[in-house]
Amino acid sequence: MSHARATHLTRRGILAAGGALGLGAVLAACGDEDKNSGGADATASAQESGPWSYQDDRGETAKADRIPANIVAFVGVGAALYDYGIQVKGVFGPTKTADGKADVQAGDMDISKVEVLGNEWGQFNIEKYVSLSPDLLVSTMFDDQGTLWYVPDESKDKILAVGAQSVGISVYDRQLTEPLQRTLELAGSLGADVTSAEITEAKKRFEDASARLRAAAKAKPDLTVMAGSASQDIFYVSGTNLSVDLEYFKALGVNFVEPPEDAKAEGGGWFESLSWENVDKYDADIIMMDDRTSAIQPADITEGTWKKLPAVKAGQVIARSAEPILSYDKCTPLVENLAEALENAKKVS
């Protein structure tokens, strides 16, 4: 696996990073009090400290006279920082569902306490952004070109010209442990106590879960796992070579369905697109399904071909967080759920 591999991602491929964002996002692409009460204290103390610097995964070093306090982040990054006691001021990306509740990608954040600059792809309210007097803009990156996730291409120059420092954390072509560590380091630079008992215990739970998954995969090497995502007309089968979670699970010994490279070409190397008539192309004993709100969830899939799949009939379908919240607290259940599924699954394909 080469982090420097030159892989050109189409706009559609970027949108589908980690699996697929569902039909709405694909169409857009084709068109071209809380458990972390220490967060406020950490931010307040950060304002009194300095200077601050952090070298991100673009190789760029963000610098400031004091630790940034007015942070704007992609929602998933904001959720991870929240788990480490850092409260962001604004977020962008899927934050609220249609009924006003917190999106799955918002984690444990109280979304009423953050300014939502944009809830969908292409949305980023620059006026609101400026009003926050941002010190720092943070997002993930799904390519090797330094593209900040959910920062619109058409307005990125105006956004970056506001003057806030920017940080990109790569979730491209590497294992989950790398962006987890990078996010923890960022949180530490922003004032989080990364040596606290809570964080140390969370990391230990993650390591224990990983050992459990390794053992489960070794015990049942013949079980095949498929990572999928559903839209109205297309079923997406994710490859493992670029996604941080799947690369990590594969390294632990999980036997994944792997579409051939030519089949993933249209999806920028991330996934193969199948019609619902061909959803049975690959044999799988366990199916991991994209849990993002932009994807159709398993209970809402009505296609008969889906219901006939052996893994579906056996009840061996689990959720997959295709864009993991990069804190140990949130990533541990992802590992545990797959380990449990392997432990309990039967060979059905």
Side-chain angles (χ1 to χ4, degrees):
M1 176 181 65
S2 170
H3 295 176
R5 184 168 63 218
T7 302
H8 175 69
L9 290 181
T10 63
R11 190 168 177 81
R12 179 177 180 179
I14 293 174
L15 274 169
L21 290 181
L23 183 61
V26 170
L27 287 176
C30 292
D32 201 296
E33 79 185 335
D34 51 50
K35 77 171 188 175
N36 288 309
S37 58
D41 291 339
T43 302
S45 63
Q47 288 179 292
E48 301 169 3
S49 304
W52 173 84
S53 68
Y54 180 86
Q55 185 176 53
D56 73 359
D57 290 332
R58 298 172 297 183
E60 298 180 7
T61 300
K63 296 180 180 180
D65 293 336
R66 63 182 184 180
I67 298 176
N70 295 339
I71 304 167
V72 173
F74 173 69
V75 60
V77 177
L81 291 176
Y82 179 87
D83 285 349
Y84 292 133
I86 304 297
Q87 176 69 57
V88 302
K89 297 294 180 67
V91 295
F92 52 94
T95 306
K96 296 181 180 180
T97 58
D99 58 5
K101 296 180 180 179
D103 189 277
V104 64
Q105 291 185 254
D108 291 331
M109 282 193 301
D110 183 346
I111 61 173
S112 69
K113 293 183 178 180
V114 293
E115 187 74 57
V116 180
L117 306 181
N119 200 57
E120 299 177 3
W121 182 263
Q123 294 181 350
F124 194 110
N125 190 314
I126 299 177
E127 186 175 286
K128 285 185 178 180
Y129 177 60
V130 172
S131 74
L132 296 174
S133 300
D135 302 313
L136 178 63
L137 175 70
V138 191
S139 191
T140 48
M141 301 183 298
F142 280 91
D143 62 20
D144 56 1
Q145 307 302 310
T147 305
L148 297 176
W149 188 232
Y150 266 79
V151 175
D153 287 343
E154 59 272 19
S155 56
K156 66 178 182 181
D157 291 341
K158 291 182 180 179
I159 292 167
L160 296 176
V162 170
Q165 297 292 301
S166 67
V167 163
I169 295 175
S170 181
V171 288
Y172 173 74
D173 191 20
R174 62 201 61 209
Q175 294 181 25
L176 179 60
T177 45
E178 291 188 51
L180 265 174
Q181 181 62 31
R182 295 292 284 141
T183 304
L184 181 64
E185 291 168 358
L186 176 62
S189 80
L190 294 171
D193 180 5
V194 297
T195 63
S196 69
E198 182 179 6
I199 292 175
T200 300
E201 290 168 5
K203 188 172 183 179
K204 178 64 163 56
R205 289 195 300 272
F206 177 83
E207 292 168 348
D208 289 345
S210 298
R212 178 184 174 186
L213 177 55
R214 187 188 295 276
K218 184 176 181 180
K220 296 184 177 180
D222 60 328
L223 292 184
T224 56
V225 180
M226 180 168 66
S229 185
S231 71
Q232 183 176 345
D233 299 315
I234 302 294
F235 183 82
Y236 304 92
V237 179
S238 292
T240 61
N241 293 333
L242 299 178
S243 300
V244 291
D245 61 327
L246 302 184
E247 283 206 11
Y248 184 57
F249 299 154
K250 180 172 63 175
L252 292 175
V254 178
N255 181 19
F256 279 100
V257 167
E258 186 68 60
E261 290 302 317
D262 59 343
K264 295 184 293 183
E266 185 182 357
W270 292 91
F271 59 84
E272 178 181 2
S273 302
L274 299 176
S275 66
W276 283 105
E277 289 77 12
N278 295 316
V279 72
D280 61 352
K281 178 177 179 178
Y282 299 106
D283 293 329
D285 302 297
I286 298 171
I287 302 176
M288 302 174 68
M289 289 296 289
D290 187 349
D291 70 355
R292 290 172 293 186
T293 52
S294 52
I296 298 175
Q297 297 306 300
D300 299 320
I301 299 175
T302 59
E303 281 74 8
T305 49
W306 163 260
K307 295 180 179 180
K308 292 179 181 179
L309 293 178
V312 176
K313 292 171 67 175
Q316 295 177 176
V317 178
I318 65 172
R320 174 200 172 206
S321 295
E323 290 184 62
I325 294 173
L326 297 170
S327 72
Y328 288 101
D329 181 68
K330 292 298 182 294
C331 286
T332 296
L334 312 183
V335 184
E336 290 176 334
N337 291 346
L338 182 53
E340 182 178 11
L342 283 170
E343 290 165 352
N344 296 330
K346 298 178 181 179
K347 184 69 179 175
V348 295
S349 63

